Amino acid sequence: MTRLSVNINKIATLRNSRGGNNPNLVSAALACERFGAQGITVHPRPDERHIRYQDVFDLKAEIQTELNIEGNCQEQKFIDLVLANKPAQVTLVPDVEGQLTSNHGWDTIKNKTYLQDMCKLFKDAGIRVSIFVDPVEEMVEAAAETGTDRIELYTEGFASEYGFDKELAIKPYFKAAVKAREVGLGLNAGHDLDLNNLQYFNQHIPELLEVSIGHALISDALYLGLEETVKRYLACLK
């Protein structure tokens, strides 16, 4: 079964909108675990507009499942945060300052040497590394040369095209997954996966290890409740 890691950034956004600590981020993460999620994902950004750096320390001390910290490893503060907390996994994302949300993967050919250094740094600390990539076979193949353990396929393209032609939408992701298997990389995926498209994606992508889902899942929880929502996402992954 593909593992579900719940991205709790949006819960932090709601908390921050009023100050204080309601909703409580740690309590929400523990509830996700209790309802069956196999991981918690956070993506801190320099302006701390959702996840605060202190949140990562608080979560690491309490959660029992895997902690996945996503972010821009070109920021020294992010590197220091990851090394201080030693999560199960760090996902390297090529964000730029002020970026609203992640919108592209690494050019693993152009940035190979840099990514090699980053992968070594985190792996030497005992942290599993995943690199955010677009569904392009050449980028997947080059990712294997960085020393990363996994890649995370950026799935906005699939989600955008799913309603028009799902077979065409899944095609580059299937090819990228096959290439990942050929070059010995573990496979994660995330971005705009939801209750409408997740089951199809999971059924057609070989050896998918983990999906990280935040915005859609937290939005669905407003209507369905968090427990029911987590259970429905898990059902899509069976």
Side-chain angles (χ1 to χ4, degrees):
M1 179 176 173
T2 305
R3 296 168 64 89
L4 172 66
S5 185
V6 177
N7 185 317
I8 57 174
N9 279 21
K10 287 300 185 294
I11 295 175
T13 301
L14 179 60
R15 176 200 60 188
N16 295 353
S17 69
R18 284 288 297 270
N21 197 31
N22 186 27
N24 183 282
L25 198 68
V26 172
S27 295
L30 294 175
C32 289
E33 290 184 328
R34 190 165 64 250
F35 301 148
Q38 297 103 342
I40 299 296
T41 290
V42 292
H43 189 144
R45 288 185 164 87
D47 59 7
E48 297 187 283
R49 63 181 182 268
H50 35 64
I51 297 297
R52 300 168 182 157
Y53 287 92
Q54 183 59 45
D55 290 333
V56 180
F57 290 91
D58 296 342
L59 289 162
K60 182 62 166 59
E62 296 291 338
I63 66 171
Q64 300 300 311
T65 56
E66 289 195 348
L67 176 63
N68 171 44
I69 306 178
E70 297 181 347
N72 184 359
C73 56
Q74 296 170 92
E75 300 161 359
Q76 186 60 46
K77 192 173 181 180
F78 175 82
I79 294 173
D80 294 342
L81 181 72
V82 174
L83 293 176
N85 284 278
K86 291 185 170 58
Q89 177 174 270
V90 59
T91 300
L92 310 183
V93 182
D95 285 344
V96 296
E97 187 174 352
Q99 190 165 318
L100 180 63
T101 187
S102 305
N103 61 13
H104 64 283
W106 284 96
D107 182 333
T108 54
I109 298 173
K110 180 179 178 181
N111 296 286
K112 183 174 73 171
T113 300
Y114 171 75
L115 290 170
Q116 286 174 333
D117 292 341
M118 289 298 100
C119 288
K120 184 178 187 304
L121 176 68
F122 292 123
K123 289 179 70 172
D124 283 352
I127 303 167
R128 186 173 73 233
V129 181
S130 179
I131 294 177
F132 203 55
V133 299
D134 296 312
V136 178
E137 292 175 86
E138 291 80 7
M139 294 302 164
V140 175
E141 191 166 19
E145 300 175 12
T146 67
T148 190
D149 302 291
R150 299 184 183 183
I151 56 169
E152 178 176 333
L153 292 178
Y154 170 53
T155 50
E156 183 185 15
F158 163 76
S160 298
E161 297 300 321
Y162 177 79
F164 300 101
D165 188 336
K166 59 187 179 182
E167 292 182 1
L168 184 62
I170 200 70
K171 188 175 181 180
Y173 293 88
F174 175 78
K175 289 183 176 180
V178 171
K179 179 58 68 174
R181 181 171 58 190
E182 288 177 358
V183 297
L185 291 176
L187 187 66
N188 298 340
H191 206 91
D192 288 349
L193 296 173
D194 59 27
L195 289 175
N196 296 314
N197 59 41
L198 178 59
Q199 185 174 39
Y200 183 86
F201 187 86
N202 185 56
Q203 290 175 341
H204 290 81
I205 298 300
E207 299 181 30
L208 181 62
L209 298 174
E210 175 185 294
V211 292
S212 175
I213 303 177
H215 183 81
L217 189 152
I218 301 304
S219 297
D220 288 333
L222 295 175
Y223 305 99
L224 302 171
L226 186 57
E227 181 174 6
E228 177 64 20
T229 299
V230 171
K231 288 180 178 179
R232 292 194 188 191
Y233 275 86
L234 288 169
C236 291
L237 297 172
K238 289 183 179 178

